[in-house]
């Protein structure tokens, strides 16, 4: 392609759907975006977008261009991520990703690590999307469940997060403690909103508790914990986090079948860099303290 700037502009218009949105992302005037689109369509001899009052919609040819440009953009991000990770200094960006439920453990570690390396900019990414290390989207991932199997990643066992059933002191005062699992039918529970939730303790809860008794449901683990603390019902929390929250009463102790194994994942191209190794060593040292607290 003779002019990558035009292709890049078309890619952002197709992705966002408006000229103004693409102009903001690219840092150019909206007239420049229109000029690039017109020039590219003229060069290719085909309409890439249908114009309408709400914005631009890609034609079939536009969709083809979007797929090619997306692949190219991914490659650039992969290259940039790898270049940023190289070097002998612990500086620049450190990008760490995990599920949101681990933030109570990882955010303090990241803050303390940053105190040792004040020039470091920390980005902590959580969410349902699996951030792709192979495209440079993160330097380190902490993942739960079965061992990750993505190619070209270095995967190491990290920590076993134990979970137990808890209720608030207020809930126990109003409803009492269950005498055992057979008593669950007269109690209220807090659980996941997703019926396909993969966490082992949520699968157990779905099997052990009548669906009508799970009266507070949320896809946000922090909301679930706050609901338990507010007395909405009995629910699961990590043993480490519950120990830091006054007012929680353990209803059932942790079981091995509820535990969530955690894994440290890095990409093979970045695994041996000074920055990644420094953070992994720091994180593992802190995790040994968590293990001692559990014991």
């Amino acid at each position: 392609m003779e002019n990558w700037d035009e292709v890049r502009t078309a890619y952002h218009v197709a992705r966002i759907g408006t000229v103004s949105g693409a102009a903001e992302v690219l840092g150019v005037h909206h007239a420049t975006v229109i000029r690039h689109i017109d020039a590219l369509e003229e060069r290719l001899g085909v309409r890439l977008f249908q114009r309408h009052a709400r914005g631009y919609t890609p034609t079939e040819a536009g969709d083809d261009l979007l797929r090619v440009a997306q692949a190219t953009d991914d490659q650039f991000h992969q290259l940039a991520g790898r270049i940023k990770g190289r070097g002998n200094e612990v500086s620049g960006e450190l990008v760490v990703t995990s599920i949101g439920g681990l933030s109570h453990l990882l955010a303090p570690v990241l803050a303390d690590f940053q105190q040792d390396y004040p020039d470091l900019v920390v980005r902590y990414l959580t969410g349902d999307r699996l951030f792709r290390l192979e495209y440079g989207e993160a330097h380190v991932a902490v993942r739960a469940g079965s061992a990750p199997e993505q190619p070209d990643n270095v995967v190491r066992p990290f920590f076993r997060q134990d979970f137990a059933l808890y209720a608030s002191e207020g809930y126990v005062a109003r409803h009492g403690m269950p005498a055992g699992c057979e008593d669950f039918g007269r109690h209220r529970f807090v659980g996941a909103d997703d019926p396909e939730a993969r966490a082992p303790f949520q699968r157990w809860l779905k099997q052990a508790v009548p669906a009508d008794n799970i009266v507070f449901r949320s896809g946000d683990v922090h909301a679930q914990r706050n609901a338990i603390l507010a007395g909405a019902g009995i629910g699961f929390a990590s043993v480490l986090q519950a120990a830091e929250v006054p007012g929680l009463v353990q209803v059932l102790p942790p079981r091995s079948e509820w535990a969530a194994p955690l894994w440290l994942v890095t990409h093979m191209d970045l695994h041996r860099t000074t920055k990644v190794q420094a953070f992994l060593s720091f994180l593992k040292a802190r995790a040994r303290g968590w293990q001692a607290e559990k014991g």
Side-chain angles (χ1 to χ4, degrees):
M1 184 58 62
E2 296 176 13
N3 194 329
W4 167 246
D5 284 343
E6 293 173 0
V7 176
R8 184 165 173 256
T9 297
Y11 162 60
H12 284 291
V13 170
R15 184 175 63 86
I16 298 169
T18 64
V19 168
S20 59
E24 183 177 353
V25 168
L26 294 166
V28 299
H29 194 273
H30 72 272
T32 302
V33 173
I34 295 173
R35 186 170 66 251
H36 281 180
I37 297 299
D38 290 344
L40 186 58
E41 287 182 334
E42 182 176 355
R43 182 176 293 108
L44 296 175
V46 65
R47 281 284 182 186
L48 298 173
F49 298 95
Q50 292 178 333
R51 281 80 163 166
H52 50 78
R54 290 173 306 203
Y56 280 39
T57 300
T59 62
E60 184 176 356
D63 282 332
D64 285 343
L65 179 74
L66 176 61
R67 282 190 290 271
V68 173
Q70 174 70 68
T72 305
D73 193 65
D74 283 345
Q75 292 296 321
F76 276 128
H77 277 91
Q78 180 182 14
L79 175 63
R82 291 177 180 176
I83 290 173
K84 280 192 246 181
R86 295 191 175 108
N88 295 319
E89 295 184 357
V90 182
S91 59
E93 283 190 349
L94 173 67
V95 187
V96 178
T97 178
S98 81
I99 56 175
L102 296 176
S103 61
H104 68 286
L105 293 174
L106 295 182
V109 174
L110 288 165
D112 290 346
F113 184 68
Q114 196 172 36
Q115 289 184 24
D116 289 350
Y117 302 98
D119 293 334
L120 196 67
V121 174
V122 169
R123 294 178 59 213
Y124 179 40
L125 310 179
T126 63
D128 295 332
R129 184 170 76 84
L130 192 68
F131 292 94
R132 299 177 296 179
L133 275 64
E134 68 271 23
Y135 288 133
E137 292 187 327
H139 296 103
V140 178
V142 182
R143 292 183 176 152
S146 57
E149 296 180 348
Q150 288 82 9
D152 299 329
N153 285 342
V154 179
V155 179
R156 296 287 185 268
F158 174 43
F159 183 75
R160 191 187 76 171
Q161 192 175 30
D162 286 330
F163 288 84
L165 269 179
Y166 292 91
S168 70
E169 293 174 350
Y171 177 90
V172 173
R174 289 192 302 274
H175 302 282
M177 288 277 281
C181 296
E182 66 281 358
D183 199 23
F184 283 174
R186 69 176 188 85
H187 282 273
R188 301 166 67 86
F189 286 83
V190 174
D193 187 52
D194 181 2
E196 303 301 321
R198 294 177 296 173
F201 53 87
Q202 294 291 0
R203 292 199 301 266
W204 182 90
L205 189 70
K206 182 180 176 183
Q207 295 173 354
V209 175
D212 290 345
N213 291 67
I214 304 176
V215 296
F216 190 106
R217 307 177 187 189
S218 174
D220 183 345
V221 294
H222 304 295
Q224 292 174 32
R225 185 184 67 251
N226 288 331
I228 296 166
L229 190 60
I234 301 168
F236 280 99
S238 79
V239 173
L240 283 175
Q241 189 167 22
E244 300 173 356
V245 180
L248 286 182
V249 178
Q250 193 174 95
V251 176
L252 286 180
R255 298 182 182 179
S256 59
E257 64 192 282
W258 299 338
L262 302 179
W263 307 87
L264 286 177
V265 187
T266 55
H267 192 271
M268 59 185 298
D269 289 346
L270 301 179
H271 179 70
R272 291 294 177 190
T273 58
T274 302
K275 177 165 55 182
V276 169
Q277 285 297 310
F279 177 67
L280 290 177
S281 297
F282 190 90
L283 180 57
K284 290 174 183 177
R286 287 290 288 269
R288 287 192 288 272
W290 303 337
Q291 194 68 48
E293 289 177 33
K294 284 169 57 179

